[in-house]
Every structure is written in C-alpha cells, then in structure tokens.
Amino acid sequence: MSDRTPAGQFFDAAITLLQRVSDEEADSVGAAGTLLADTVADGGRLFAFGAGHSSLAAQDLVYRAGGLALMNLLVVPGVLGVDVMPATLGSALERVDGLAGVVLETSPLRSGDALVIISLSGRNALPVEMAMKARALGVRVIGVTSVAYASETTSRHSSGTYLKDHCDVVLDSKIAIGDAELTHDAIPAPFAPASTVVTAALLQAVMATTAATLADRGIEPPLLRSGNVDGGHEWNGRVFEEYRDRIFYQY
C-alpha cells in the first residue's frame, strides 16, 4: 500500500482521472458543447437522463445555479437514484427491454432536441434502447460512459451493442471496470468509487463550453443564478418566462 492515507489515495486517484479526461476528452467535450449550443440556437430543448447513481450527474445539470436553464431531467420512474424501494428494483428496471421506448413516447422529447444519456457501463437495455430510439426520433444524443466496459463485459441489450454505439458524441469517463479506485490488504473487495466525481466534472465542462460557444455567437446563454444572492430570484424569473416553452421542471 501507499504511504498516503486512504483519503489521500482517493484524492490522488480522482485527480489523476480528472487530468486524464481533461487531456484525452477535450475534443469530445468541445463537440458535445457545440452540439448543445447548436440545439439551443436552433430552438431545441435539452434533456439529461441517468439511472441509479448515474442519475446524480444528470440531476446536477438541472435547475442549477450557474447552469443552463434549458436542461431538463428525463424521468423514468423507479430508476432515478436509490429512492425506490427496494433499491435493487432500479437495477432490475435498467434491464427491461421496451421500457425506454414507452418513456420516450410519453415524454416531451421531439426532433431537434438533444439528450444526454449517462451510463457508466453502457451495457444495460435501458440506456442502449433510449439512445437508439431517441436518435430514430431525430434527437441528438450525447453519451457519457466508460468505454472500457464494451471490451470487457457483454451487452445486456438484444442487439449486443452498447450506449457508445448509438451516440452523436461519446464522452469516455475512463472509469475502470467495477468503479472502485482503492484496495486494502485487509479488505476483500475494492472500494471508493470515483465515477460520480469524474462524470459530473465532464458534464460541467460541457456546460461551460456550451455557454461560451453561445456567447461567442452573440447569443446570451440562458443561465440561472443562485437564489441565495441578491437579485437571483428576479433574474431566474426572467429566464423562466423567456424560455417557458423549453423548460419542463418549472410549469
């Protein structure tokens, strides 16, 4: 083991991963940010989806101070986080064929919109089918996943494909199989997952790129301000009113 404390080892691992995605995914981050900026400029709407713990990164983009007001959460009952009881039900629902199609048919998504799909493994039926069917509707898809899973696991979708195979842009989180960064001689299983840290950072880098790209085109990005600073509520109220037909968590 390293002389570093477990906490220090985890920070080292997370920083190493963040530096790696910063170096290796810069072009993909730029492409994703441009795709979202194009969608906003063309009058499209933005959505994000993740199942289980991947939903944390999706939710981090929605109704967020400093974030894009147009980012909406695509809700699939029973798979957002671990609030469903029992928690294992969420994992089971990710493997159900046909669920994504039903969700999309009853969602506000339409041609010209953009959808960010977050799935660490990218192997389950739900994210794979969601990407496939969304693109068939004319929706542009950004996938956030660990590409390594596609070479070291088997797909759980009937097509034998992965999320990465059905995206306009893929962001590779570089997370190792199993999502645990640390080991210990006295602990029989690896521990300390870093996927949430890395995925959230990747997506905030995309959001920053989107905002700057819009500004470079002379378009004021529809950003939210914190409600805990003076004038924040008034600012947000103006944004909500201006973009009310593209925001689905407010009305």
Side-chain angles (χ1 to χ4, degrees), residues 45-128:
R45 293 89 56 82
L46 309 180
F47 295 84
F49 168 76
H53 287 94
S54 291
S55 71
L56 297 175
Q59 293 178 58
D60 189 52
L61 301 178
V62 179
Y63 187 48
R64 184 65 192 263
L68 289 171
L70 305 190
M71 185 61 75
N72 301 278
L73 190 66
L74 182 62
V75 176
V76 178
V79 305
L80 292 181
V82 292
D83 56 338
V84 63
M85 292 294 290
T88 51
L89 175 60
S91 297
L93 289 173
E94 286 188 69
R95 305 178 187 181
V96 174
D97 287 327
L99 179 57
V102 173
V103 169
L104 290 176
E105 288 170 4
T106 56
S107 79
L109 271 163
R110 66 188 184 192
S111 179
D113 291 344
L115 172 62
V116 178
I117 301 177
I118 305 156
S119 174
L120 177 60
S121 73
R123 68 187 296 218
N124 288 312
L126 182 56
V128 174

Side-chain angles (χ1 to χ4, degrees), residues 10 13 17 120 149 175-183 189-195:
F10 178 77
L17 282 165
L120 177 60
Y149 275 83
I175 299 296
I177 307 298
D179 190 18
E181 294 300 320
L182 302 186
T183 59
F191 58 101
S195 60

Side-chain angles (χ1 to χ4, degrees), residues 211-219:
T213 300
L214 287 168
D216 289 344
R217 297 178 184 179
I219 301 171

Side-chain angles (χ1 to χ4, degrees), residues 185-209:
D185 292 343
I187 300 176
F191 58 101
S195 60
T196 303
V197 173
V198 175
T199 301
L202 259 175
L203 285 171
Q204 290 301 341
V206 171
M207 295 302 109
T209 303

Side-chain angles (χ1 to χ4, degrees), residues 114-188:
L115 172 62
V116 178
I117 301 177
I118 305 156
S119 174
L120 177 60
S121 73
R123 68 187 296 218
N124 288 312
L126 182 56
V128 174
E129 181 186 346
M130 185 170 289
M132 293 173 68
K133 291 190 176 295
R135 292 183 85 191
L137 292 173
V139 174
R140 288 172 287 185
V141 174
I142 297 170
V144 188
T145 187
S146 172
V147 172
Y149 275 83
S151 61
E152 300 184 39
T153 67
T154 56
S155 171
R156 290 180 175 142
H157 188 259
S158 57
S159 67
T161 60
Y162 296 78
L163 171 60
K164 72 175 185 64
D165 299 318
H166 305 285
C167 300
D168 296 277
V169 179
V170 175
L171 299 173
D172 184 2
S173 64
K174 317 293 183 181
I175 299 296
I177 307 298
D179 190 18
E181 294 300 320
L182 302 186
T183 59
H184 189 288
D185 292 343
I187 300 176

Side-chain angles (χ1 to χ4, degrees), residues 8-25:
Q9 291 176 51
F10 178 77
F11 282 124
D12 289 344
I15 290 168
T16 297
L17 282 165
L18 289 169
Q19 188 62 62
R20 186 178 172 197
V21 296
S22 175
D23 293 341
E24 298 178 14
E25 295 300 298

